[in-house]
mmCIF file of all heavy atoms in Angstrom:
data_model
loop_
_atom_site.group_PDB
_atom_site.id
_atom_site.type_symbol
_atom_site.label_atom_id
_atom_site.label_comp_id
_atom_site.label_asym_id
_atom_site.label_seq_id
_atom_site.Cartn_x
_atom_site.Cartn_y
_atom_site.Cartn_z
ATOM 1 N N MET W 277 0.836 -1.210 0.000
ATOM 2 C CA MET W 277 0.010 0.005 0.002
ATOM 3 C C MET W 277 0.842 1.240 -0.006
ATOM 4 O O MET W 277 1.886 1.295 0.676
ATOM 5 C CB MET W 277 -0.894 0.002 1.215
ATOM 6 C CG MET W 277 -1.947 1.122 1.255
ATOM 7 S SD MET W 277 -2.731 1.288 2.852
ATOM 8 C CE MET W 277 -1.522 2.246 3.730
ATOM 9 N N THR W 278 0.456 2.230 -0.790
ATOM 10 C CA THR W 278 1.100 3.560 -0.733
ATOM 11 C C THR W 278 0.027 4.595 -0.427
ATOM 12 O O THR W 278 -1.141 4.421 -0.815
ATOM 13 C CB THR W 278 1.791 3.912 -2.040
ATOM 14 O OG1 THR W 278 0.848 3.993 -3.095
ATOM 15 C CG2 THR W 278 2.861 2.908 -2.387
ATOM 16 N N GLN W 279 0.454 5.632 0.250
ATOM 17 C CA GLN W 279 -0.500 6.729 0.613
ATOM 18 C C GLN W 279 0.245 8.048 0.460
ATOM 19 O O GLN W 279 1.385 8.183 0.955
ATOM 20 C CB GLN W 279 -0.993 6.550 2.016
ATOM 21 C CG GLN W 279 -2.236 7.379 2.335
ATOM 22 C CD GLN W 279 -2.953 6.872 3.550
ATOM 23 O OE1 GLN W 279 -2.413 6.124 4.368
ATOM 24 N NE2 GLN W 279 -4.217 7.253 3.717
ATOM 25 N N GLN W 280 -0.358 8.996 -0.204
ATOM 26 C CA GLN W 280 0.291 10.260 -0.520
ATOM 27 C C GLN W 280 -0.083 11.312 0.526
ATOM 28 O O GLN W 280 -0.705 12.317 0.237
ATOM 29 C CB GLN W 280 -0.144 10.707 -1.915
ATOM 30 C CG GLN W 280 0.417 9.775 -2.989
ATOM 31 C CD GLN W 280 -0.120 10.082 -4.382
ATOM 32 O OE1 GLN W 280 -0.411 9.186 -5.149
ATOM 33 N NE2 GLN W 280 -0.205 11.367 -4.737
ATOM 34 N N GLY W 281 0.365 11.032 1.797
ATOM 35 C CA GLY W 281 0.083 11.921 2.880
ATOM 36 C C GLY W 281 -0.625 11.182 4.006
ATOM 37 O O GLY W 281 -0.487 9.962 4.151
ATOM 38 N N GLY W 282 -1.400 11.925 4.814
ATOM 39 C CA GLY W 282 -2.071 11.363 5.959
ATOM 40 C C GLY W 282 -3.474 10.918 5.699
ATOM 41 O O GLY W 282 -3.826 10.421 4.601
ATOM 42 N N TYR W 283 -4.374 11.108 6.684
ATOM 43 C CA TYR W 283 -5.761 10.680 6.533
ATOM 44 C C TYR W 283 -6.389 11.305 5.285
ATOM 45 O O TYR W 283 -6.222 12.496 5.002
ATOM 46 C CB TYR W 283 -6.567 11.116 7.781
ATOM 47 C CG TYR W 283 -6.275 10.392 9.035
ATOM 48 C CD1 TYR W 283 -6.223 11.055 10.242
ATOM 49 C CD2 TYR W 283 -6.057 9.007 9.029
ATOM 50 C CE1 TYR W 283 -5.961 10.379 11.434
ATOM 51 C CE2 TYR W 283 -5.814 8.324 10.209
ATOM 52 C CZ TYR W 283 -5.774 9.032 11.410
ATOM 53 O OH TYR W 283 -5.494 8.339 12.589
ATOM 54 N N GLY W 284 -7.148 10.493 4.551
ATOM 55 C CA GLY W 284 -7.923 10.976 3.424
ATOM 56 C C GLY W 284 -7.131 11.251 2.169
ATOM 57 O O GLY W 284 -7.672 11.802 1.219
ATOM 58 N N LYS W 285 -5.842 10.884 2.151
ATOM 59 C CA LYS W 285 -5.052 11.150 0.935
ATOM 60 C C LYS W 285 -5.013 9.918 0.042
ATOM 61 O O LYS W 285 -5.246 8.807 0.466
ATOM 62 C CB LYS W 285 -3.629 11.557 1.345
ATOM 63 C CG LYS W 285 -3.608 12.751 2.319
ATOM 64 C CD LYS W 285 -4.400 13.933 1.808
ATOM 65 C CE LYS W 285 -4.448 15.099 2.782
ATOM 66 N NZ LYS W 285 -5.426 14.917 3.839
ATOM 67 N N THR W 286 -4.735 10.131 -1.229
ATOM 68 C CA THR W 286 -4.786 9.089 -2.255
ATOM 69 C C THR W 286 -4.057 7.829 -1.783
ATOM 70 O O THR W 286 -2.894 7.870 -1.457
ATOM 71 C CB THR W 286 -4.186 9.576 -3.587
ATOM 72 O OG1 THR W 286 -4.911 10.698 -4.021
ATOM 73 C CG2 THR W 286 -4.247 8.486 -4.622
ATOM 74 N N THR W 287 -4.799 6.718 -1.764
ATOM 75 C CA THR W 287 -4.258 5.431 -1.317
ATOM 76 C C THR W 287 -4.340 4.446 -2.454
ATOM 77 O O THR W 287 -5.381 4.269 -3.094
ATOM 78 C CB THR W 287 -5.079 4.904 -0.125
ATOM 79 O OG1 THR W 287 -5.006 5.838 0.954
ATOM 80 C CG2 THR W 287 -4.538 3.577 0.341
ATOM 81 N N SER W 288 -3.216 3.753 -2.735
ATOM 82 C CA SER W 288 -3.163 2.758 -3.777
ATOM 83 C C SER W 288 -2.869 1.387 -3.176
ATOM 84 O O SER W 288 -1.946 1.271 -2.349
ATOM 85 C CB SER W 288 -2.075 3.120 -4.809
ATOM 86 O OG SER W 288 -2.343 4.344 -5.452
ATOM 87 N N ILE W 289 -3.618 0.382 -3.608
ATOM 88 C CA ILE W 289 -3.439 -0.997 -3.104
ATOM 89 C C ILE W 289 -2.888 -1.816 -4.290
ATOM 90 O O ILE W 289 -3.494 -1.906 -5.374
ATOM 91 C CB ILE W 289 -4.763 -1.590 -2.638
ATOM 92 C CG1 ILE W 289 -5.290 -0.767 -1.456
ATOM 93 C CG2 ILE W 289 -4.609 -3.050 -2.268
ATOM 94 C CD1 ILE W 289 -4.443 -0.835 -0.216
ATOM 95 N N PHE W 290 -1.723 -2.432 -4.066
ATOM 96 C CA PHE W 290 -1.114 -3.317 -5.056
ATOM 97 C C PHE W 290 -1.208 -4.763 -4.501
ATOM 98 O O PHE W 290 -0.468 -5.104 -3.559
ATOM 99 C CB PHE W 290 0.337 -2.959 -5.301
ATOM 100 C CG PHE W 290 0.521 -1.513 -5.727
ATOM 101 C CD1 PHE W 290 0.864 -0.552 -4.817
ATOM 102 C CD2 PHE W 290 0.318 -1.150 -7.049
ATOM 103 C CE1 PHE W 290 1.062 0.757 -5.214
ATOM 104 C CE2 PHE W 290 0.489 0.139 -7.460
ATOM 105 C CZ PHE W 290 0.879 1.140 -6.532
ATOM 106 N N MET W 291 -2.105 -5.538 -5.023
ATOM 107 C CA MET W 291 -2.301 -6.917 -4.511
ATOM 108 C C MET W 291 -1.487 -7.863 -5.353
ATOM 109 O O MET W 291 -1.627 -7.963 -6.576
ATOM 110 C CB MET W 291 -3.784 -7.295 -4.548
ATOM 111 C CG MET W 291 -4.070 -8.606 -3.833
ATOM 112 S SD MET W 291 -5.833 -9.026 -3.755
ATOM 113 C CE MET W 291 -6.440 -7.771 -2.684
ATOM 114 N N ARG W 292 -0.576 -8.582 -4.685
ATOM 115 C CA ARG W 292 0.334 -9.515 -5.347
ATOM 116 C C ARG W 292 1.081 -8.846 -6.497
ATOM 117 O O ARG W 292 1.315 -9.439 -7.520
ATOM 118 C CB ARG W 292 -0.405 -10.751 -5.851
ATOM 119 C CG ARG W 292 -0.815 -11.711 -4.726
ATOM 120 C CD ARG W 292 -1.253 -13.050 -5.219
ATOM 121 N NE ARG W 292 -1.337 -14.017 -4.146
ATOM 122 C CZ ARG W 292 -1.728 -15.285 -4.277
ATOM 123 N NH1 ARG W 292 -2.072 -15.730 -5.472
ATOM 124 N NH2 ARG W 292 -1.743 -16.090 -3.257
ATOM 125 N N GLY W 293 1.436 -7.585 -6.305
ATOM 126 C CA GLY W 293 2.272 -6.853 -7.263
ATOM 127 C C GLY W 293 1.569 -6.357 -8.468
ATOM 128 O O GLY W 293 2.203 -5.720 -9.335
ATOM 129 N N THR W 294 0.263 -6.590 -8.613
ATOM 130 C CA THR W 294 -0.480 -6.077 -9.790
ATOM 131 C C THR W 294 -0.770 -4.585 -9.613
ATOM 132 O O THR W 294 -0.536 -3.998 -8.538
ATOM 133 C CB THR W 294 -1.793 -6.859 -9.983
ATOM 134 O OG1 THR W 294 -2.581 -6.716 -8.789
ATOM 135 C CG2 THR W 294 -1.488 -8.330 -10.208
ATOM 136 N N ASN W 295 -1.322 -3.966 -10.629
ATOM 137 C CA ASN W 295 -1.591 -2.538 -10.590
ATOM 138 C C ASN W 295 -2.690 -2.207 -9.598
ATOM 139 O O ASN W 295 -3.489 -3.080 -9.210
ATOM 140 C CB ASN W 295 -2.008 -2.009 -11.987
ATOM 141 C CG ASN W 295 -0.821 -1.961 -12.943
ATOM 142 O OD1 ASN W 295 0.340 -2.048 -12.533
ATOM 143 N ND2 ASN W 295 -1.101 -1.838 -14.225
ATOM 144 N N SER W 296 -2.756 -0.933 -9.206
ATOM 145 C CA SER W 296 -3.774 -0.522 -8.232
ATOM 146 C C SER W 296 -5.177 -0.608 -8.779
ATOM 147 O O SER W 296 -6.149 -0.588 -7.964
ATOM 148 C CB SER W 296 -3.447 0.917 -7.771
ATOM 149 O OG SER W 296 -3.440 1.796 -8.849
ATOM 150 N N ASP W 297 -5.359 -0.679 -10.095
ATOM 151 C CA ASP W 297 -6.707 -0.843 -10.656
ATOM 152 C C ASP W 297 -6.990 -2.323 -11.038
ATOM 153 O O ASP W 297 -7.926 -2.584 -11.753
ATOM 154 C CB ASP W 297 -6.907 0.047 -11.859
ATOM 155 C CG ASP W 297 -5.882 -0.126 -12.956
ATOM 156 O OD1 ASP W 297 -4.980 -0.990 -12.774
ATOM 157 O OD2 ASP W 297 -5.985 0.531 -14.018
ATOM 158 N N HIS W 298 -6.170 -3.220 -10.528
ATOM 159 C CA HIS W 298 -6.368 -4.652 -10.758
ATOM 160 C C HIS W 298 -6.992 -5.341 -9.538
ATOM 161 O O HIS W 298 -6.849 -6.551 -9.375
ATOM 162 C CB HIS W 298 -5.019 -5.334 -11.076
ATOM 163 C CG HIS W 298 -4.500 -4.961 -12.428
ATOM 164 N ND1 HIS W 298 -3.228 -5.264 -12.853
ATOM 165 C CD2 HIS W 298 -5.081 -4.300 -13.488
ATOM 166 C CE1 HIS W 298 -3.034 -4.816 -14.098
ATOM 167 N NE2 HIS W 298 -4.165 -4.225 -14.467
ATOM 168 N N VAL W 299 -7.653 -4.575 -8.682
ATOM 169 C CA VAL W 299 -8.346 -5.096 -7.536
ATOM 170 C C VAL W 299 -9.813 -4.750 -7.635
ATOM 171 O O VAL W 299 -10.172 -3.572 -7.718
ATOM 172 C CB VAL W 299 -7.743 -4.537 -6.193
ATOM 173 C CG1 VAL W 299 -8.474 -5.105 -4.984
ATOM 174 C CG2 VAL W 299 -6.262 -4.854 -6.095
ATOM 175 N N LEU W 300 -10.660 -5.739 -7.613
ATOM 176 C CA LEU W 300 -12.100 -5.519 -7.580
ATOM 177 C C LEU W 300 -12.531 -5.281 -6.139
ATOM 178 O O LEU W 300 -12.196 -6.063 -5.267
ATOM 179 C CB LEU W 300 -12.852 -6.682 -8.182
ATOM 180 C CG LEU W 300 -14.378 -6.625 -8.112
ATOM 181 C CD1 LEU W 300 -14.920 -5.485 -8.986
ATOM 182 C CD2 LEU W 300 -14.989 -7.957 -8.522
ATOM 183 N N VAL W 301 -13.303 -4.211 -5.915
ATOM 184 C CA VAL W 301 -13.764 -3.874 -4.553
ATOM 185 C C VAL W 301 -15.272 -3.884 -4.573
ATOM 186 O O VAL W 301 -15.933 -3.250 -5.395
ATOM 187 C CB VAL W 301 -13.229 -2.486 -4.109
ATOM 188 C CG1 VAL W 301 -13.689 -2.188 -2.695
ATOM 189 C CG2 VAL W 301 -11.686 -2.459 -4.192
ATOM 190 N N LEU W 302 -15.839 -4.625 -3.623
ATOM 191 C CA LEU W 302 -17.282 -4.742 -3.435
ATOM 192 C C LEU W 302 -17.637 -4.258 -2.043
ATOM 193 O O LEU W 302 -16.906 -4.494 -1.083
ATOM 194 C CB LEU W 302 -17.740 -6.183 -3.623
ATOM 195 C CG LEU W 302 -17.336 -6.921 -4.905
ATOM 196 C CD1 LEU W 302 -17.679 -8.391 -4.802
ATOM 197 C CD2 LEU W 302 -18.032 -6.272 -6.114
ATOM 198 N N ILE W 303 -18.777 -3.607 -1.910
ATOM 199 C CA ILE W 303 -19.386 -3.324 -0.640
ATOM 200 C C ILE W 303 -20.754 -3.971 -0.612
ATOM 201 O O ILE W 303 -21.618 -3.629 -1.396
ATOM 202 C CB ILE W 303 -19.487 -1.812 -0.353
ATOM 203 C CG1 ILE W 303 -18.072 -1.181 -0.297
ATOM 204 C CG2 ILE W 303 -20.253 -1.516 0.911
ATOM 205 C CD1 ILE W 303 -18.092 0.290 0.032
ATOM 206 N N ASP W 304 -20.905 -4.973 0.252
ATOM 207 C CA ASP W 304 -22.155 -5.719 0.338
ATOM 208 C C ASP W 304 -22.582 -6.273 -1.030
ATOM 209 O O ASP W 304 -23.746 -6.266 -1.405
ATOM 210 C CB ASP W 304 -23.267 -4.883 0.922
ATOM 211 C CG ASP W 304 -23.056 -4.529 2.391
ATOM 212 O OD1 ASP W 304 -22.473 -5.395 3.105
ATOM 213 O OD2 ASP W 304 -23.426 -3.456 2.837
ATOM 214 N N GLY W 305 -21.568 -6.753 -1.798
ATOM 215 C CA GLY W 305 -21.840 -7.354 -3.087
ATOM 216 C C GLY W 305 -21.995 -6.373 -4.219
ATOM 217 O O GLY W 305 -22.142 -6.783 -5.383
ATOM 218 N N ILE W 306 -21.912 -5.054 -3.965
ATOM 219 C CA ILE W 306 -22.065 -4.034 -4.994
ATOM 220 C C ILE W 306 -20.701 -3.506 -5.428
ATOM 221 O O ILE W 306 -19.912 -3.099 -4.557
ATOM 222 C CB ILE W 306 -22.955 -2.862 -4.510
ATOM 223 C CG1 ILE W 306 -24.298 -3.388 -4.018
ATOM 224 C CG2 ILE W 306 -23.143 -1.821 -5.588
ATOM 225 C CD1 ILE W 306 -25.126 -4.100 -5.070
ATOM 226 N N LYS W 307 -20.404 -3.462 -6.701
ATOM 227 C CA LYS W 307 -19.130 -2.972 -7.186
ATOM 228 C C LYS W 307 -19.034 -1.482 -6.941
ATOM 229 O O LYS W 307 -19.952 -0.715 -7.232
ATOM 230 C CB LYS W 307 -18.980 -3.274 -8.682
ATOM 231 C CG LYS W 307 -17.648 -2.866 -9.304
ATOM 232 C CD LYS W 307 -17.626 -3.246 -10.789
ATOM 233 C CE LYS W 307 -16.275 -2.873 -11.417
ATOM 234 N NZ LYS W 307 -16.238 -3.274 -12.841
ATOM 235 N N VAL W 308 -17.877 -1.034 -6.381
ATOM 236 C CA VAL W 308 -17.679 0.351 -6.038
ATOM 237 C C VAL W 308 -16.428 0.887 -6.723
ATOM 238 O O VAL W 308 -15.651 0.128 -7.340
ATOM 239 C CB VAL W 308 -17.614 0.574 -4.515
ATOM 240 C CG1 VAL W 308 -18.872 0.106 -3.848
ATOM 241 C CG2 VAL W 308 -16.395 -0.161 -3.915
ATOM 242 N N GLY W 309 -16.207 2.198 -6.587
ATOM 243 C CA GLY W 309 -15.020 2.800 -7.141
ATOM 244 C C GLY W 309 -15.343 3.782 -8.263
ATOM 245 O O GLY W 309 -16.508 3.934 -8.665
ATOM 246 N N SER W 310 -14.289 4.416 -8.757
ATOM 247 C CA SER W 310 -14.442 5.443 -9.832
ATOM 248 C C SER W 310 -14.439 4.738 -11.190
ATOM 249 O O SER W 310 -13.470 4.065 -11.534
ATOM 250 C CB SER W 310 -13.323 6.454 -9.737
ATOM 251 O OG SER W 310 -13.301 7.251 -10.878
ATOM 252 N N ALA W 311 -15.491 4.926 -11.977
ATOM 253 C CA ALA W 311 -15.546 4.380 -13.339
ATOM 254 C C ALA W 311 -14.613 5.165 -14.265
ATOM 255 O O ALA W 311 -14.185 4.638 -15.291
ATOM 256 C CB ALA W 311 -16.941 4.401 -13.883
ATOM 257 N N SER W 312 -14.311 6.405 -13.929
ATOM 258 C CA SER W 312 -13.410 7.204 -14.783
ATOM 259 C C SER W 312 -11.945 6.848 -14.540
ATOM 260 O O SER W 312 -11.189 6.635 -15.476
ATOM 261 C CB SER W 312 -13.648 8.709 -14.551
ATOM 262 O OG SER W 312 -13.512 9.035 -13.194
ATOM 263 N N LEU W 313 -11.545 6.766 -13.263
ATOM 264 C CA LEU W 313 -10.166 6.401 -12.914
ATOM 265 C C LEU W 313 -9.939 4.894 -12.998
ATOM 266 O O LEU W 313 -8.820 4.430 -13.285
ATOM 267 C CB LEU W 313 -9.797 6.925 -11.544
ATOM 268 C CG LEU W 313 -9.632 8.439 -11.396
ATOM 269 C CD1 LEU W 313 -9.442 8.754 -9.908
ATOM 270 C CD2 LEU W 313 -8.482 8.935 -12.204
ATOM 271 N N GLY W 314 -10.914 4.117 -12.597
ATOM 272 C CA GLY W 314 -10.781 2.650 -12.514
ATOM 273 C C GLY W 314 -10.216 2.176 -11.193
ATOM 274 O O GLY W 314 -9.900 0.999 -11.049
ATOM 275 N N THR W 315 -10.129 3.066 -10.213
ATOM 276 C CA THR W 315 -9.609 2.678 -8.902
ATOM 277 C C THR W 315 -10.642 3.020 -7.815
ATOM 278 O O THR W 315 -11.631 3.699 -8.065
ATOM 279 C CB THR W 315 -8.287 3.423 -8.567
ATOM 280 O OG1 THR W 315 -8.525 4.853 -8.675
ATOM 281 C CG2 THR W 315 -7.206 3.023 -9.524
ATOM 282 N N THR W 316 -10.368 2.545 -6.580
ATOM 283 C CA THR W 316 -11.300 2.711 -5.474
ATOM 284 C C THR W 316 -10.659 3.631 -4.451
ATOM 285 O O THR W 316 -9.501 3.389 -4.017
ATOM 286 C CB THR W 316 -11.656 1.368 -4.828
ATOM 287 O OG1 THR W 316 -12.306 0.555 -5.817
ATOM 288 C CG2 THR W 316 -12.584 1.565 -3.663
ATOM 289 N N PRO W 317 -11.350 4.616 -3.955
ATOM 290 C CA PRO W 317 -10.806 5.514 -2.911
ATOM 291 C C PRO W 317 -10.944 4.880 -1.514
ATOM 292 O O PRO W 317 -11.823 5.215 -0.726
ATOM 293 C CB PRO W 317 -11.642 6.796 -3.035
ATOM 294 C CG PRO W 317 -12.971 6.320 -3.513
ATOM 295 C CD PRO W 317 -12.686 5.113 -4.412
ATOM 296 N N PHE W 318 -10.035 3.962 -1.201
ATOM 297 C CA PHE W 318 -10.078 3.305 0.113
ATOM 298 C C PHE W 318 -10.048 4.311 1.247
ATOM 299 O O PHE W 318 -10.595 4.040 2.318
ATOM 300 C CB PHE W 318 -8.892 2.329 0.226
ATOM 301 C CG PHE W 318 -8.917 1.179 -0.728
ATOM 302 C CD1 PHE W 318 -8.267 1.259 -1.939
ATOM 303 C CD2 PHE W 318 -9.623 0.023 -0.404
ATOM 304 C CE1 PHE W 318 -8.293 0.178 -2.843
ATOM 305 C CE2 PHE W 318 -9.667 -1.056 -1.283
ATOM 306 C CZ PHE W 318 -8.985 -0.974 -2.515
ATOM 307 N N GLU W 319 -9.385 5.442 1.024
ATOM 308 C CA GLU W 319 -9.222 6.425 2.078
ATOM 309 C C GLU W 319 -10.531 7.044 2.528
ATOM 310 O O GLU W 319 -10.585 7.646 3.604
ATOM 311 C CB GLU W 319 -8.227 7.501 1.619
ATOM 312 C CG GLU W 319 -8.701 8.337 0.429
ATOM 313 C CD GLU W 319 -8.348 7.761 -0.909
ATOM 314 O OE1 GLU W 319 -8.012 6.540 -0.967
ATOM 315 O OE2 GLU W 319 -8.409 8.479 -1.927
#
């Protein structure tokens, strides 16, 4: 994980070395995240 600062700053998750947009994130079975960027704001 990388984070560009403290609380609420851009956070990137690299799972098994893949890109930060190679992780599917679901909340209660619903796909979440930015459709424009392709990443999820975990922060």
